[in-house]
Amino acid sequence: MSHIVVLGAGVIGLSSALQIQSQGHQVTIIARDFPGPFETVDPRLQIDYTSPWGGAHNRWVPPTNATEEREHAMALRTFARMRELCRNYPAAGITFMPGIEYLEAPSPAYQELNAEKAKILGMEGFRLLKPAELPDDKVKMGFEYNSWCVNPMVYCSFLLRRFGYLGGKVVKKEVRSPVEIFEMRESGRVDAVINASGIGFGDPDVFITRGQTCLVANLCPATVTRQNADGSWSFSVPRNFDGGTIIGGTKEPNNWDPNPSPEVRAALLQNFAGTYPQILAKDNEYQVIADIVGRRPTRKNGMRLEKELTGDGKCIIHAYGPGGRGYELSWGVSEAVAGLLSGHLGLASQNQRPKL
Ligand SMILES: Cc1cc2nc3c(=O)[nH]c(=O)nc-3n(C[C@H](O)[C@H](O)[C@H](O)COP(=O)(O)OP(=O)(O)OC[C@H]3O[C@@H](n4cnc5c(N)ncnc54)[C@H](O)[C@@H]3O)c2cc1C
Ligand SMILES: *[C@@H]1O[C@H](CO)[C@@H](O)[C@H](O)[C@H]1NC(C)=O
Ligand SMILES: *[C@@H]1O[C@H](CO)[C@@H](O)[C@H](O)[C@H]1NC(C)=O
């Protein structure tokens, strides 16, 4: 049995840890931050732990290049795994619901979307909306499909609980580099480290994309996304499980401001109600719970998913930089990580076999 250490307890580290564990390895998760009740996550001290601040929903993106093709394939795998988990574990924090999209200026890839194309892409329940179903004249295209949302801390706590139940160990610790883990006494013998450290330690290709959203108590029956012609967004992500609904949101590369802006909050709430008045149907006003600022761990040209040998047979498998899609891609990423790991362990055991 190999011993694998996963660095990071965000959605990427937790899913990867479970996937590797299912292959029969002993797994330890080492992280500075672990999931806990959302109400207790500190917005200042834990702003760089992105997983609590995500929506989080699945939104299909019609792929236009190799990076997006890879992500789409991982999103499809995640969709299938979420369906299975939702069925088998009703308390996992997952809800399936309609995903509705409105576009003011659809790019060619969106313009080409139709039932046939959507079927090829695996977008279940796809339907183009009729002009009368669009919210206003500025919206040129609309469609819906079946999608899922998670309540992030309910879902991540569920993953952690499964991991512990199946024999996984955890260590709460900040490390200076994944390489340090090979030397730590707590770790024992380590065959490989999975680097799922989110924003992490200064890969020059990694940057943050700030997102401000507002959590409200109002219920929303669908996850709705509007892409405006000026590049701004308006969306809702129902969290359910008493988690309220996220109303978003901004996407601001390299903005490190941790403070929510009241003006932005007012604009987000007003824009969303303009697009989807049903959000106010029951109460006629918003019940605001909290402002949220998060930092999406974004990487130029997509996630880093690769094996690195650092000498002495030490193996690090990188799994970081999912940007705004960490939940959507999580199970696809975990399967890729597990694949890289089996490849490595297979090679390592061949090399260790005594020569005849
Ligand atoms: C406003 C907003 C909305 C979003 N909406 C969605 C959405 O709808 N759908 C979606 O899929 N995604 C969404 N995202 C993105 C998603 O939240 C992220 O992609 C995801 O949470 C990243 O997970 P991660 O595991 O890579 O990183 P993190 O959650 O940041 O986890 C990193 C882990 O590494 C640990 N770590 C880091 N450095 C060290 C160290 N030195 N020592 C020890 N431990 C360390 C941390 O403690 C933590 O456990 C959204 C994000 C934001 C901000
Ligand atoms: C681990 O991941 C981080 C990003 O989170 C990256 O900056 C760092 O270079 C990686 N560590 C090593 C040893 O490569
Ligand atoms: C892929 O396409 C997206 C959307 O057009 C773009 O943002 C991204 O930079 C492209 N990536 C590559 C590697 O070309």
Side-chain angles (χ1 to χ4, degrees):
M1 194 195 279
S2 300
H3 180 216
I4 312 301
V5 173
V6 176
L7 170 58
V11 67
I12 298 296
L14 292 165
S15 336
S16 300
L18 274 166
Q19 187 67 21
I20 292 166
Q21 197 179 39
S22 75
Q23 296 183 315
H25 304 300
Q26 178 61 45
V27 184
T28 303
I29 299 178
I30 299 182
R32 179 189 59 219
D33 308 279
F34 280 90
F38 178 73
E39 295 71 16
T40 69
V41 187
D42 190 313
R44 293 251 165 188
L45 295 177
Q46 295 185 283
I47 191 170
D48 292 322
Y49 180 32
T50 306
S51 290
W53 314 118
H57 62 180
N58 171 70
R59 203 175 60 73
W60 297 118
V61 178
T64 60
N65 55 40
T67 303
E68 292 182 344
E69 295 279 358
R70 179 178 82 152
E71 290 188 355
H72 186 69
M74 295 197 288
L76 283 171
R77 284 301 305 147
T78 308
F79 190 95
R81 299 284 296 269
M82 287 292 187
R83 164 135 300 146
E84 199 181 295
L85 285 175
C86 184
R87 200 176 286 144
N88 296 334
Y89 303 96
I94 307 162
T95 317
F96 275 77
M97 67 181 78
I100 301 174
E101 302 218 21
Y102 302 125
L103 293 100
E104 286 190 4
S107 64
Y110 278 101
Q111 287 170 29
E112 284 166 17
L113 264 187
N114 53 32
E116 197 185 335
K117 188 89 207 276
K119 196 167 179 194
I120 296 168
L121 288 172
M123 296 162 65
E124 207 179 87
F126 179 91
R127 183 176 78 86
L128 279 175
L129 299 180
K130 301 185 188 79
E133 295 175 284
L134 304 179
D136 53 61
D137 289 349
K138 284 191 186 164
V139 173
K140 299 292 180 260
M141 178 188 194
F143 50 91
E144 64 176 18
Y145 45 72
N146 299 340
S147 194
W148 56 260
C149 291
V150 298
N151 178 320
M153 284 298 94
V154 173
Y155 177 67
C156 286
S157 300
F158 158 76
L159 296 180
L160 180 61
R161 216 159 56 235
R162 284 295 298 162
F163 174 73
Y165 179 74
L166 296 169
K169 299 278 178 285
V170 307
V171 177
K172 191 164 183 174
K173 186 177 184 341
E174 175 157 14
V175 301
R176 294 299 295 273
S177 159
V179 181
E180 179 187 350
I181 289 172
F182 291 100
E183 317 297 339
M184 281 166 52
R185 188 165 301 160
E186 301 90 309
S187 318
R189 192 201 75 212
V190 176
D191 296 289
V193 170
I194 314 300
N195 183 9
S197 55
I199 296 167
F201 313 86
D203 172 338
D205 284 344
V206 171
F207 58 97
I208 57 152
T209 308
R210 181 182 187 270
Q212 180 174 338
T213 61
C214 185
L215 180 64
V216 299
N218 307 63
L219 297 175
C220 194
T223 176
V224 181
T225 308
R226 175 175 179 147
Q227 300 186 48
N228 299 317
D230 65 3
S232 66
W233 298 70
S234 183
F235 58 82
S236 69
V237 186
R239 285 183 161 182
N240 293 329
F241 301 84
D242 287 337
T245 300
I246 292 285
I247 306 294
T250 66
K251 300 191 182 188
E252 307 160 76
N254 296 310
N255 182 345
W256 288 87
D257 185 357
N259 307 298
S261 139
E263 293 77 31
V264 169
R265 176 218 274 196
L268 293 176
L269 295 181
Q270 189 188 344
N271 292 345
F272 188 73
T275 291
Y276 196 76
Q278 295 94 313
I279 187 78
L280 301 180
K282 191 160 158 276
D283 309 298
N284 223 5
E285 57 184 23
Y286 282 111
Q287 277 94 43
V288 171
I289 299 174
D291 293 303
I292 291 178
V293 174
R295 295 172 174 168
R296 303 173 181 90
T298 320
R299 187 164 176 274
K300 269 182 222 154
N301 297 326
M303 271 193 92
R304 184 167 181 204
L305 261 178
E306 68 183 357
K307 176 177 106 171
E308 185 185 356
L309 295 178
T310 62
D312 311 340
K314 292 191 176 83
C315 170
I316 300 181
I317 292 169
H318 298 287
Y320 63 84
R325 306 193 74 184
Y327 284 88
E328 279 175 341
L329 308 184
S330 55
W331 287 110
V333 170
S334 77
E335 290 171 6
V337 165
L340 288 168
L341 180 67
S342 342
H344 169 71
L345 295 175
L347 276 180
S349 69
Q350 262 171 29
N351 293 342
Q352 278 158 18
R353 205 171 288 155
K355 297 212 167 60
L356 292 176

